[in-house]
Amino acid sequence: MGKKLSWIVWGLSASCLSAPVLASALQNPLGANGIDALRLHQPPYNLLGRKIAIGQVEIGRPGMFGWDKAVSQNRAVSLAGVFMRDGPAKSNTAVDSHAYNVAGVMVSRDKAFPGVAPKAQLYSSAVGSTRNMGQAEECLTAQHIALQNGDDVRAINFSFGEPLSRDPRPDAVLDGNALLTLCLDWSSRVHDVLYAIAGNQGRGGIPIPTDNYNGLNVAFSSPRRGIFNKVDVSNLAAVNQGATARLAGKEFNIDGRRSIGLVAPGSNIPMLNPDGKLNKVTGTSFAAPQVTATVALLQEFSDRQLQNQQRNWSIDARRHQVMKAVLLNSADKLQDSGDGLRLGMTRTLIDKQNQNWLKSDAYQDSQIPLDAQMGTGHLNTFRAYQQFSSGQWRASSTVRSIGWNYGTVDVGSTVDYALDKPLKKDSFVNITLIWNRLVELNDTNKNQRYDVDESFSDRGLNNLDLYLIKADAQNSDTGVACSSVSKIDSVEHIFCPVPATGNYKIRVQFREQVNEATQSYGLAWWSVAKSASD
């Protein structure tokens, strides 16, 4: 999913540059012009992903120091465990430089080229040669990683995919029913893990499992004038129109459901190869692990809060729905002008046609929650920390202007979150609602685990809607300021200006039952309260 290029800086080879110069030139993807994760490594935050387990599944695996000769001279990437499918890895077998580069994005401890979460515990497994395996073995591998660390892995990275040409279903399309896609949606719920999936790119060919509901698909950005703020032209993420119509159902979800959730840097990412030499890599393969490792930073903070028994904090912070909501809701869309009305966002992200979010159908149509190319925007790890650290606010009392919650809603019912202060006119509001498609394992041997001869059942997706309404409105038909009412997506997302200064509430509505009568969800919101000086 990525290509590797030799690394040249300003026409000079890397060996000609001092370490400080290299650091400033090459750390942009994780710095303020990228995802702004390096700030969290420093005081007062001191977040490095300590004691947080994350996972990696690929065709090959990264080499482990002391186990594989390929990394005998390089200790930069420290791994908690390496496997071959659901068993231990054999020394010097299935070691792959692509997998090593992906692992480096997450957990590299090299001072010049640190990973997003250098102290996280990374468990990595290789699926092995595609000649001898398929989606069943890939599912088995993902399950094995999800069960590591005492069944406590917070996020798993997929920087590979399956082509539809290898799917055994006749006339296979991206309808969410490929075995591997069903597997990931099942595992998300059963193992409570967020899957970060490298989005499709180029001419496609590796779309499965990008048709998942419960994971998070990642496209990649390239820099303009040093700032990662444009969806790279090689991303395959467009509306099924014109020249792309022939790909409908092959490289795009067949029902119009959007695929991409987030954008992260993926162009010319500086990286150390297994032999310790400097490389530059490009592709969604290297954007997705930035999302995976961001989860590790947030979860280290979460565990710290829980250990210190902080108010407005509970174990709900570990839920994958909450993590997904926080990441999507804190993404950058439009650069703030300094007055805070655009929620302090740090960049304006543009798509391949140089259009920003305000030109997107997702902004203009309440039935479309995600932009086809940009999702909800560009990953900003520091903003994700700000969103997450605001704490959990339940619907039983008034809530702060920024917060999150994990809750449930019954069919035909609504849950309201009344904001405790008036919102400021013309300020923007970001709200994201996440819930799961229900996929169940047909567990023929009753061992509560997937086995390669077993299958899954898709029980569908309940239909939830999301509103920002005036505080005194009694129903969802009156006083609506903004809404997100997709009938097909597992996410609702609002980004809109407040029409008038006043009191508002966020409403989650269970519109239509497809499976269970009670639906759990993750919710995150970010708004601007009117101050005394306004």
Side-chain angles (χ1 to χ4, degrees), residues 416-419 467-471 473 503-507:
D416 287 351
Y417 295 79
L419 295 160
Y467 300 90
L468 178 70
I469 62 178
K470 292 182 179 179
N503 293 309
Y504 291 86
K505 58 187 176 184
I506 298 164
R507 171 164 290 175

Side-chain angles (χ1 to χ4, degrees), residues 277-308:
K277 293 182 179 179
L278 201 57
N279 192 13
K280 194 167 67 167
V281 293
T282 292
T284 54
S285 285
F286 312 104
Q290 295 176 55
V291 175
T292 307
T294 291
V295 172
L297 297 184
L298 299 180
Q299 287 297 301
E300 181 188 1
F301 175 77
S302 171
D303 282 3
R304 186 186 299 170
Q305 296 293 90
L306 290 168
Q307 184 176 5
N308 294 330

Side-chain angles (χ1 to χ4, degrees), residues 182-467:
L182 291 166
C183 173
L184 295 199
D185 280 355
W186 166 77
S187 177
S188 297
R189 176 178 61 87
V190 173
H191 302 122
D192 198 13
V193 60
L194 180 62
Y195 282 89
I197 312 296
N200 220 349
Q201 70 182 65
R203 294 185 178 179
I206 43 176
I208 300 170
T210 61
D211 55 339
N212 71 82
Y213 286 75
N214 303 344
L216 204 169
N217 294 337
V218 187
F220 80 98
S221 63
S222 54
R224 297 185 311 158
R225 295 183 291 277
I227 300 173
F228 285 90
N229 61 3
K230 181 172 182 176
V231 177
D232 193 272
V233 293
S234 59
N235 286 274
L236 181 65
V239 180
N240 294 335
Q241 295 176 348
T244 65
R246 62 184 176 82
L247 293 173
K250 291 294 185 181
E251 305 296 348
F252 299 98
N253 293 331
I254 62 169
D255 55 5
R257 185 170 58 89
R258 295 296 166 83
S259 168
I260 297 301
L262 272 180
V263 180
S267 177
N268 300 327
I269 305 299
M271 193 58 54
L272 292 178
N273 276 344
D275 60 6
K277 293 182 179 179
L278 201 57
N279 192 13
K280 194 167 67 167
V281 293
T282 292
T284 54
S285 285
F286 312 104
Q290 295 176 55
V291 175
T292 307
T294 291
V295 172
L297 297 184
L298 299 180
Q299 287 297 301
E300 181 188 1
F301 175 77
S302 171
D303 282 3
R304 186 186 299 170
Q305 296 293 90
L306 290 168
Q307 184 176 5
N308 294 330
Q309 298 181 331
Q310 294 294 317
R311 290 183 58 194
N312 300 106
W313 215 262
S314 80
I315 202 167
D316 287 339
R318 295 181 178 177
R319 301 279 187 177
H320 66 279
Q321 301 98 319
V322 169
M323 278 291 91
K324 185 175 175 181
V326 164
L327 290 168
L328 293 182
N329 206 62
S330 57
D332 279 325
K333 289 183 181 69
L334 300 169
Q335 185 172 10
D336 192 280
S337 61
D339 56 12
L341 296 183
R342 292 182 175 179
L343 312 177
M345 294 181 181
T346 66
R347 88 200 78 197
T348 296
L349 180 66
I350 58 174
D351 65 15
K352 294 191 290 182
Q353 289 73 41
N354 297 317
Q355 302 293 313
N356 68 29
W357 182 268
L358 298 182
K359 300 293 185 180
S360 71
D361 55 5
Y363 179 68
Q364 299 167 17
D365 189 341
S366 63
Q367 295 193 55
I368 302 176
L370 302 173
D371 180 82
Q373 298 183 38
M374 298 184 286
T376 65
H378 198 284
L379 173 66
N380 186 318
T381 300
F382 185 75
R383 279 177 54 79
Y385 164 81
Q386 290 177 302
Q387 173 78 75
F388 195 41
S389 63
S390 60
Q392 181 176 17
W393 297 88
R394 304 181 193 276
S396 54
S397 60
T398 57
V399 302
R400 298 286 178 87
S401 57
I402 307 174
W404 57 266
N405 190 39
Y406 178 80
T408 60
V409 60
D410 295 328
V411 63
S413 300
T414 61
V415 178
D416 287 351
Y417 295 79
L419 295 160
D420 62 358
K421 294 181 180 178
L423 298 186
K424 190 174 181 180
K425 183 180 186 298
D426 295 330
S427 66
F428 276 81
V429 175
N430 240 6
I431 315 171
T432 304
L433 175 67
I434 300 294
W435 70 104
N436 284 338
R437 171 172 70 149
L438 180 57
V439 176
E440 294 181 337
L441 173 65
N442 298 320
D443 190 12
T444 55
N445 63 3
K446 307 300 180 184
N447 67 349
Q448 298 184 336
R449 295 192 180 188
Y450 171 76
D451 298 292
V452 292
D453 58 345
E454 292 177 335
S455 62
F456 297 94
S457 293
D458 174 17
R459 294 193 55 202
L461 180 72
N462 284 330
N463 185 12
L464 272 58
D465 289 337
L466 180 64
Y467 300 90

Side-chain angles (χ1 to χ4, degrees), residues 15-257:
S15 60
C16 297
L17 299 174
S18 66
V21 173
L22 270 173
S24 62
L26 303 179
Q27 287 181 349
N28 283 344
L30 305 192
N33 292 337
I35 65 171
D36 205 11
L38 296 179
R39 192 188 327 190
L40 292 177
H41 294 181
Q42 307 301 319
Y45 314 104
N46 298 310
L47 296 174
L48 298 170
R50 299 173 187 86
K51 297 183 180 179
I52 302 300
I54 55 178
Q56 176 187 19
V57 176
E58 292 195 46
I59 301 301
R61 65 170 178 84
M64 186 165 72
F65 184 82
W67 187 247
D68 300 300
K69 291 180 180 179
V71 292
S72 59
Q73 304 300 316
N74 186 2
R75 296 178 179 231
V77 174
S78 179
L79 302 170
V82 290
F83 307 94
M84 181 66 182
R85 295 180 197 165
D86 59 344
K90 294 181 180 179
S91 180
N92 304 313
T93 301
V95 177
D96 175 62
S97 59
H98 178 274
Y100 187 88
N101 289 151
V102 171
V105 172
M106 294 186 275
V107 297
S108 170
R109 297 186 180 183
D110 187 88
K111 290 184 179 180
F113 309 101
V116 176
K119 292 295 182 71
Q121 301 179 57
L122 178 61
Y123 295 88
S124 181
S125 185
V127 177
S129 171
T130 57
R131 295 179 182 177
N132 305 317
M133 63 84 204
Q135 294 180 48
E137 288 79 11
E138 291 164 355
C139 177
L140 195 69
T141 305
Q143 174 183 247
H144 184 68
I145 290 297
L147 293 172
Q148 298 307 306
N149 194 46
D151 195 15
D152 183 18
V153 174
R154 310 291 170 88
I156 296 177
N157 193 81
F158 261 57
S159 283
F160 83 104
E162 270 287 304
L164 279 163
S165 60
R166 276 171 45 90
D167 192 283
R169 298 173 298 159
D171 301 317
V173 292
L174 287 183
D175 58 2
N177 290 321
L179 176 69
L180 183 58
T181 303
L182 291 166
C183 173
L184 295 199
D185 280 355
W186 166 77
S187 177
S188 297
R189 176 178 61 87
V190 173
H191 302 122
D192 198 13
V193 60
L194 180 62
Y195 282 89
I197 312 296
N200 220 349
Q201 70 182 65
R203 294 185 178 179
I206 43 176
I208 300 170
T210 61
D211 55 339
N212 71 82
Y213 286 75
N214 303 344
L216 204 169
N217 294 337
V218 187
F220 80 98
S221 63
S222 54
R224 297 185 311 158
R225 295 183 291 277
I227 300 173
F228 285 90
N229 61 3
K230 181 172 182 176
V231 177
D232 193 272
V233 293
S234 59
N235 286 274
L236 181 65
V239 180
N240 294 335
Q241 295 176 348
T244 65
R246 62 184 176 82
L247 293 173
K250 291 294 185 181
E251 305 296 348
F252 299 98
N253 293 331
I254 62 169
D255 55 5
R257 185 170 58 89

